[in-house]
C-alpha cells in the first residue's frame, strides 16, 4: 500500500466533507450547539414552570370536623394555600384542578385524648403535578404536628422523646465527590460516546460509499491504478477522523452543557472533578480510537451494500440497534468486565471505559478488551474490503453475496 | 461476451458499435479491469489487464456515461487529484493541468465547483480528467451524449487531434453513426455479445452491400 495515495484519497474526502454544508452542519456544528441550547432551554422552561407552580394558589377544603384542631392554622401558615372549612365530596373533588381536601376518620379530639391512632386523609387528583407537589407540602406540615403530638404523649407518661426512636441511622459516605461523578459518568458516558461515534461515522460513511455510487464517481476511482486496499484505507481514515471529531465535539458540548446547567441551577461547578490516572487516560484514548476504528469500518461495510443515499439510510436504524443494545446492556446494574463480556463487541469497550471512569480497572482486563476491540476492528475492515472488492460495487449494482464468498 | 477479439493501434480511432445490451459497456469495463472475464485476456499498451492491472490502468484513460465528477471539487482540484492518483510527478502534473485547462477552455470556470458546471463544461472536464496522465490508450463511451452541436464538434475535433497528432489509440463508442463515419478508421460491431464485424468502414459496407454505415449496421444487427 502506498501512503501517498492513501493520503491523497484521505485529503480529498476531508476536503469534500468540509465543503458539504449538510454534513458539516449535521456532524460537527449541530452537536456543538445542540446540547448547550437544549439544556439552557430545558433549564429555563423548567425554572419558569416551577416558579409558576410555586405562585399558584391551591384551595384546601378542611372538613368541619377538623375546624377546632390545629390543622387549619398549620396548613394556613403556608401562604400558597387558601383554607376553606367545608365538607367535600370525593367524586366532585376528583374533578378539581386546584383543590385538595383534608378529612379525619372519627373524632380527632377524642382519639388523641384516648391515645388512639387518628387517621387524617388528604384527598385530591394527585396525577396533577401542582396538586401532587402541594400534597407533599401538606404532608410535611402534618408530620411536624404528628411529631409534637408524639412528644406530648411521651411527656404525659414521663418518657423521653428518644423512647419512640430506639435507633437513628446515619450514613457516612467515604467516597470522594470525584468517585460519585466517576460512577455516574462510568454508567452513562460510554453509551453516549458509542452513540456519538456511530452517528459521526455513519453519515460520512454513507456519503463516501453509497453517496459516491449514486453520484457515479466511484467507478472513476476504480479505473485508476489504485488498489482496493488503498481506496479503503483513504476512505476509512476520513470516516474515522470525522467520526472521532464528531464524537469529541458531542462530548465536549455535552460536558459544557451539563456544567452550564449546574451553574444555572446554582451548583458549585468548581467542585466537580474526575479522578482518572494518566494510565487511565491512555487506556481511555486507546479504547475510543479502537471503537472508532470498529464503528467506522462497520458503517462503511454496511453502507456499501446500498446503491443510494436513501437506501443506505434504511440500514442506519438496524445498525444503530446493534450498537446501542450492548451499550445499554453495559449500564445495567451488576454488569461487569469479565472474560465473557470482554468478548462482546461494543459491550466490552463500554464496560472498560466505565471501569476507567470508576477508577476500578485491571491491566489484564484492559489488555483483553484492547485485543478484542482491535480484532473486531480489523474484521470489520476486512468485511468492508471484501464488499468493496465486489465487482457489483464497482459497477453500481446490488452487491452479490455469491461474489463476496468467492 | 463470447469470442470478441480486436486490437487498436497508436494513432488509430476505432468505433465500438452495437445496439443497447449488445455488450459494449461490458467489453469496455473488462478493458478497464472493472469486470473480470471468465475466459480470455485483454491488453492495454502490452500490459495484461488481469495480470498487471496497475500498469494496464496507468496506460488507460477511461470515460463512460456512468462516470461523473466530484461535485464539491473545482476542475483544477479534480485534475490534480487524479494526476496524483496516477502518480504524475508534481512539476509535470502542473504543466499537464495548465495544458488541459488551455486545450479544453476550462480557464473560465476552473475555480467553480463541478456541480455548478453546465453539461458541456462537465464533459470537457471529464475528458481532461481522462487525459491528465497522458495515457497511450483512451476509451470514450458516448462522449457527446447530451451536448449541443458546438460542444460535440469541439469534443470530436479534440479526439481527432488526440489520435492523429498525439498518436493515442482511441476506442470510441457511440450511437451517432455520422460521428463514426467522420472520425473512425475502423469499426468493431458487437451484437448479442458476439463480434459481428471488425474492419474499416468500407469493408462493412461491402460485406452488407450497403452504401451508408447506418444501413450496414442495421443489416448486421438485424
Amino acid at each position: 500500500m502506498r501512503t501517498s495515495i492513501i493520503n491523497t484519497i484521505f485529503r480529498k474526502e476531508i476536503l469534500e466533507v468540509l465543503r458539504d454544508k449538510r454534513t458539516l452542519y449535521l456532524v460537527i456544528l449541530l452537536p456543538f450547539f445542540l446540547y448547550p441550547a437544549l439544556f439552557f432551554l430545558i433549564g429555563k422552561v423548567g425554572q419558569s414552570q416551577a416558579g409558576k407552580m410555586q405562585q399558584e394558589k391551591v384551595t384546601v377544603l378542611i372538613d368541619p370536623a377538623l375546624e377546632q384542631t390545629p390543622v387549619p392554622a398549620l396548613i394556613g401558615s403556608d401562604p400558597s394555600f387558601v383554607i376553606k372549612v367545608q365538607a367535600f365530596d370525593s367524586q366532585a373533588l376528583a374533578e378539581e384542578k386546584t383543590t385538595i381536601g383534608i378529612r379525619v376518620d372519627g373524632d380527632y379530639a377524642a382519639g388523641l385524648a384516648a391515645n388512639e391512632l387518628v387517621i387524617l386523609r388528604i384527598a385530591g387528583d394527585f396525577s396533577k403535578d401542582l396538586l401532587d407537589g402541594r400534597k407533599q407540602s401538606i404532608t410535611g406540615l402534618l408530620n411536624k404536628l404528628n411529631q409534637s403530638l408524639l412528644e406530648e404523649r411521651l411527656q404525659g407518661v414521663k418518657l423521653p422523646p428518644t423512647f419512640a426512636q430506639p435507633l437513628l441511622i446515619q450514613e457516612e459516605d467515604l467516597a470522594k465527590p470525584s468517585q460519585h461523578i466517576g460512577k455516574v459518568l462510568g454508567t452513562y458516558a460510554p453509551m453516549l460516546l458509542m452513540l456519538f461515534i456511530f452517528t459521526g461515522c455513519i453519515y460520512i460513511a454513507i456519503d463516501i460509499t453509497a453517496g459516491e455510487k449514486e453520484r457515479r464517481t466511484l467507478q472513476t476511482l476504480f479505473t485508476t491504478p489504485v488498489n482496493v486496499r488503498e481506496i479503503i484505507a483513504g476512505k476509512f481514515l476520513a470516516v474515522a477522523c470525522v467520526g472521532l471529531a464528531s464524537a469529541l465535539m458531542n462530548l465536549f458540548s455535552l460536558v459544557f452543557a451539563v456544567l452550564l446547567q449546574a451553574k444555572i441551577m446554582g451548583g458549585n461547578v468548581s467542585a466537580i472533578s474526575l479522578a482518572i490516572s494518566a494510565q487511565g487516560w491512555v487506556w481511555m484514548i486507546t479504547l475510543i480510537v479502537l471503537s472508532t476504528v470498529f464503528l467506522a469500518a462497520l458503517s462503511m461495510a454496511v453502507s456499501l451494500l446500498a446503491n443510494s443515499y436513501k437506501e443506505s439510510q434504511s440500514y442506519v436504524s438496524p445498525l444503530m440497534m446493534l450498537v446501542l443494545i450492548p451499550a445499554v446492556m453495559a449500564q445495567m446494574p451488576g454488569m461487569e468486565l469479565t472474560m465473557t463480556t470482554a468478548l462482546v463487541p461494543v459491550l466490552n469497550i463500554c464496560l472498560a471505559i466505565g471501569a476507567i471512569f470508576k477508577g476500578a480497572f485491571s491491566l489484564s482486563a484492559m489488555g483483553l478488551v484492547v485485543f478484542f476491540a482491535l480484532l473486531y476492528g480489523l474484521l470489520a475492515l476486512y468485511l468492508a474490503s471484501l464488499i468493496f472488492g465486489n465487482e457489483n460495487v464497482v459497477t453500481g449494482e446490488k452487491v452479490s453475496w455469491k461474489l463476496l464468498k468467492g | 461476451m463470447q469470442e470478441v477479439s480486436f486490437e487498436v493501434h497508436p494513432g488509430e480511432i476505432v468505433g465500438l458499435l452495437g445496439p443497447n445490451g449488445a455488450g459494449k459497456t461490458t467489453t469496455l469495463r473488462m478493458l478497464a479491469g472493472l469486470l473480470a472475464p471468465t475466459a480470455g485476456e485483454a491488453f492495454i499498451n502490452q500490459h495484461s489487464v488481469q495480470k498487471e492491472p496497475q500498469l494496464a490502468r496507468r496506460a488507460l484513460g477511461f470515460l463512460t456515461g456512468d462516470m461523473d465528477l466530484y461535485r464539491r471539487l473545482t476542475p483544477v482540484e479534480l485534475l490534480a487529484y487524479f494526476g496524483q492518483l496516477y502518480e504524475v510527478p508534481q512539476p509535470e502534473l502542473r504543466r499537464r493541468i495548465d495544458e488541459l485547462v488551455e486545450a479544453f477552455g476550462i480557464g473560465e470556470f476552473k475555480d467553480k465547483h463541478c456541480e455548478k458546471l453546465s453539461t458541456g463544461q462537465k464533459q470537457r472536464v471529464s475528458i481532461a480528467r481522462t487525459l491528465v496522465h497522458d495515457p497511450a490508450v483512451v476509451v470514450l463511451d458516448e462522449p457527446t451524449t447530451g451536448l449541443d452541436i458546438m460542444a460535440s464538434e469541439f469534443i470530436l475535433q479534440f479526439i481527432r487531434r488526440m489520435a492523429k497528432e498525439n498518436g493515442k489509440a482511441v476506442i470510441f463508442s457511440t450511437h451517432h453513426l455520422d460521428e463514426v463515419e467522420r472520425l473512425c478508421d475502423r469499426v468493431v460491431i458487437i451484437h448479442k455479445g458476439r463480434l459481428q464485424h471488425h474492419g474499416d468502414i468500407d469493408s462493412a459496407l461491402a460485406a452488407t452491400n450497403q452504401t451508408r454505415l447506418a444501413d450496414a449496421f442495421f443489416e448486421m444487427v438485424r
Side-chain angles (χ1 to χ4, degrees), chain A residues 2 5 8 12 15-16 19-20 207 212 215-217 219-225 391 394-395, chain B residues 29 34-36 54 57 62 65-73 77 81 84-87 129:
Chain A
R2 295 162 294 179
I5 296 291
T8 299
K12 175 254 164 192
L15 181 65
E16 282 216 288
R19 283 182 181 170
D20 180 14
D207 190 60
E212 274 217 33
R215 297 191 296 269
R216 302 184 307 167
T217 48
Q219 202 179 121
T220 320
L221 199 54
F222 281 96
T223 63
T224 62
E391 257 180 13
V394 181
T395 54
Chain B
R29 281 176 174 174
L34 297 174
L35 293 178
Q54 293 206 2
R57 283 177 190 168
F62 189 80
D66 292 333
M67 295 170 157
D68 212 337
L69 304 173
Y70 292 112
R71 296 183 302 184
R72 300 188 283 267
L73 295 190
E77 285 168 346
Y81 175 58
Q84 285 162 14
L85 293 183
Y86 282 99
E87 295 183 296
R129 189 273 302 159

Side-chain angles (χ1 to χ4, degrees), chain A residues 83-103:
Chain A
I83 307 297
K84 282 186 183 171
V85 179
Q86 69 175 66
F88 57 88
D89 170 59
S90 291
Q91 269 188 330
L93 193 64
E95 302 299 317
E96 295 291 334
K97 290 176 183 168
T98 55
T99 308
I100 288 176
I102 301 175
R103 66 158 69 94

Side-chain angles (χ1 to χ4, degrees), chain B residues 97-204:
Chain B
I97 291 172
D98 289 343
E99 278 174 15
L100 291 166
V101 166
E102 175 71 25
F104 284 94
I106 291 172
E108 56 188 290
F109 53 86
K110 70 179 172 133
D111 295 322
K112 270 188 183 178
H113 287 180
C114 288
E115 64 187 340
K116 291 182 179 154
L117 304 184
S118 69
T119 311
Q121 289 172 333
K122 277 184 183 171
Q123 195 64 344
R124 279 195 257 171
V125 176
S126 291
I127 298 177
R129 189 273 302 159
T130 309
L131 301 172
V132 72
H133 55 297
D134 199 14
V137 180
V138 180
V139 171
L140 299 169
D141 186 15
E142 306 273 357
T144 57
T145 299
L147 301 185
D148 64 26
I149 191 164
M150 297 300 287
S152 294
E153 186 58 25
F154 178 87
I155 301 287
L156 294 178
Q157 290 299 335
F158 193 87
I159 293 170
R160 189 195 300 277
R161 281 205 306 276
M162 195 163 64
K164 302 306 168 193
E165 293 172 19
N166 300 328
K168 300 204 183 298
V170 179
I171 299 178
F172 177 62
S173 172
T174 181
H175 287 295
H176 299 290
L177 296 180
D178 55 321
E179 290 179 356
V180 175
E181 281 180 314
R182 280 180 59 197
L183 214 60
C184 296
D185 303 302
R186 284 187 292 127
V187 288
V188 170
I189 299 175
I190 296 174
H191 183 45
K192 293 182 178 168
R194 289 178 179 276
L195 189 71
Q196 293 293 314
H197 177 79
H198 177 199
D200 59 23
I201 293 174
D202 288 340
S203 68

